Amino acid sequence: MKTIIAACSQNLSGSRASIQTTLRTLLTAPWPSQRDIRSWLQLLSVLQWVLSFLLLGTISLLLLIYLVFTSFWPISALYLAWIIFDWDTPEKGGRRLPCLRRWPVWRHFRDYFPVKLVKTHDLSPSHNYIIGSHPHGILCVGAFCNFITGSTGFGEMFPGIQPFLTTLAGNFRLPVFREYLMSGGLCPVTRRAIGYLLSKNGTGNAVAIVIGGAAESLSCHPGVTTLILKNRKGFVRMALQHGAHLVPSFSFGENDLFCQVVFEEGSWMRSIQHRFQKMMGFAPCIFYGRGLTSVRSWGFLPYARPITTVVGEPVVVPKIEDPSCEVVDTYHEMYVRSLLKLFNENKTKYGLSEADELHIL
């Protein structure tokens, strides 16, 4: 009996010693610094954004389809009824929520790269504007951060101007995802939606359009400064029809966020990408970035490279309800010259060399 008691006493004392040793180890271990915590928050903010844009719509659609075959089918039925009732809202300016634009997570998102907005000229609230956003990149990070979130100070730099960003109309057919897009100020890149913002929503509206679209994303990789713009003239015609001034903008560093497998023109893979783009509206890019745990690992998160979006001088456009092709060509050339001037005046300030040129296809 004495032997058993002695053994128990030794075990208890050993356990207490182990616990004390563990506590001392924890207390002496270095705690995460404020810099580490900020880095984690920045990484998580970018992760939620990428997952939202890549998966939110698809997962929501699959979930609603699954609920149809369960006892929760009324949820799917009610949401379907809501979409039918709310079908035209994206085409009529959407339903933005200012609180979402001020969401604190966007500050961490901005600081991850970081993203910076540079103003070169004032924009008068008495006019409407079409802002050409270049280049497209893979996920349009610069355009989203500057025109959809309030983290870079667009509202303070351009008082009285309300920015919108256009995206594929098909995105607004996906459940839940459409609500997410509209709450931030995104609208479909359609004539009806853009025309509504430029003619029936008062003045002080700035509609940002990523002119190069999906075709431009296929050629996106670090070091490339090529734009698809030469035959993209629909935005100029709309500007003339509504008397909206044209404003060029360029996001330096946008193409450096991901690496992409670029297939040569004429190859069978390039042909598949073009066909998919024509059918679905977006191009299936094969790209990669950094992983979640390490910069050296491969993943789908963008690299932390600085993005500087410079907003240029407005091209004053008259209102012509039915502009001729010659008039459209004239203002398109004026816009291209303004964009080239913007690029050449700022390229050496934001990571490019004097020898780098902007190629327009």
Side-chain angles (χ1 to χ4, degrees):
M1 189 65 177
K2 291 181 180 180
T3 305
I4 294 173
I5 293 173
C8 290
S9 300
Q10 289 177 359
N11 288 337
L12 288 172
S13 60
S15 300
R16 285 196 297 272
S18 300
I19 293 171
Q20 291 173 354
T21 302
T22 303
L23 289 173
R24 280 197 297 269
T25 303
L26 289 173
L27 291 173
T28 57
W31 287 86
S33 64
Q34 290 186 351
R35 182 178 179 181
D36 292 333
I37 294 173
R38 283 197 301 268
S39 297
W40 294 342
L41 290 174
Q42 291 167 11
L43 191 62
L44 289 174
S45 68
V46 174
L47 176 64
Q48 66 82 25
W49 179 77
V50 172
L51 291 178
S52 296
F53 268 81
L54 295 182
L55 300 177
L56 179 59
T58 303
I59 291 176
S60 300
L61 178 61
L62 294 175
L63 178 60
L64 287 174
I65 293 174
Y66 168 76
L67 292 178
V68 169
F69 302 97
T70 69
S71 58
F72 295 100
W73 65 265
I75 295 176
S76 298
L78 288 172
Y79 191 78
L80 178 60
W82 164 251
I83 287 183
I84 295 173
F85 173 78
D86 197 52
W87 190 260
D88 288 335
T89 299
E91 303 277 353
K92 297 180 179 179
R95 188 170 43 248
R96 70 166 60 207
L97 296 175
C99 60
L100 183 66
R101 292 173 59 85
R102 296 193 298 266
W103 201 16
V105 72
W106 300 131
R107 294 197 297 270
H108 300 298
F109 180 87
R110 172 201 64 195
D111 295 337
Y112 170 83
F113 298 97
V115 181
K116 181 182 178 183
L117 181 65
V118 175
K119 169 186 171 181
T120 61
H121 292 78
D122 291 330
L123 298 181
S124 171
S126 61
H127 297 288
N128 286 326
Y129 303 88
I130 290 181
I131 300 178
S133 180
H134 311 273
H136 183 284
I138 296 293
L139 294 178
C140 303
V141 173
F144 177 86
C145 191
N146 288 298
F147 303 129
I148 294 303
T149 79
S151 61
T152 57
F154 185 95
E156 291 74 24
M157 290 186 191
F158 301 101
I161 303 297
Q162 185 169 229
F164 296 85
L165 178 63
T166 58
T167 186
L168 292 174
N171 289 329
F172 295 89
R173 305 298 176 243
L174 295 172
V176 181
F177 190 47
R178 70 190 294 275
E179 321 299 339
Y180 177 75
L181 294 177
M182 285 192 292
S183 64
L186 283 106
C187 63
V189 61
T190 61
R191 290 183 179 276
R192 183 185 176 193
I194 297 172
Y196 180 90
L197 293 172
L198 296 178
S199 63
K200 298 180 180 179
N201 201 42
T203 59
N205 300 298
V207 183
I209 304 175
V210 186
I211 308 297
E216 194 172 276
S217 67
L218 291 174
S219 301
C220 162
H221 60 90
V224 170
T225 51
T226 301
L227 304 181
I228 305 296
L229 179 59
K230 187 175 293 184
N231 296 318
R232 300 291 175 97
K233 300 178 182 180
F235 72 103
V236 178
R237 182 175 294 277
M238 289 206 69
L240 285 163
Q241 290 173 340
H242 298 284
H245 297 178
L246 291 168
V247 183
S249 71
F250 195 93
S251 293
F252 293 91
E254 181 72 47
N255 285 347
D256 299 332
L257 304 183
F258 294 95
C259 294
Q260 182 182 188
V261 179
V262 179
F263 301 98
E264 295 182 1
E265 289 291 345
S267 65
W268 65 275
M269 277 298 297
R270 190 71 161 193
S271 176
I272 291 175
Q273 287 178 316
H274 283 311
R275 289 179 183 177
F276 191 93
Q277 175 197 333
K278 290 180 180 179
M279 289 188 297
M280 304 299 294
F282 64 94
C285 302
I286 302 176
F287 66 91
Y288 63 89
R290 59 157 292 179
L292 182 61
T293 57
S294 171
V295 178
R296 297 180 180 85
S297 61
W298 285 17
F300 54 87
L301 295 179
Y303 295 109
R305 309 277 167 75
I307 304 172
T308 304
T309 301
V310 185
V311 180
E313 182 179 4
V315 176
V316 178
V317 176
K319 184 175 181 179
I320 304 175
E321 291 186 2
D322 188 20
S324 64
C325 293
E326 291 76 13
V327 172
V328 172
D329 289 342
T330 298
Y331 281 93
H332 184 270
E333 291 173 5
M334 292 171 63
Y335 175 83
V336 171
R337 286 198 300 269
S338 182
L339 176 62
L340 288 170
K341 178 184 176 183
L342 173 71
F343 177 82
N344 291 324
E345 288 180 349
N346 292 277
K347 61 183 179 181
T348 56
K349 300 177 185 176
Y350 305 115
L352 299 179
S353 68
E354 190 65 45
D356 286 316
E357 296 182 355
L358 187 61
H359 302 284
I360 296 178
L361 302 178

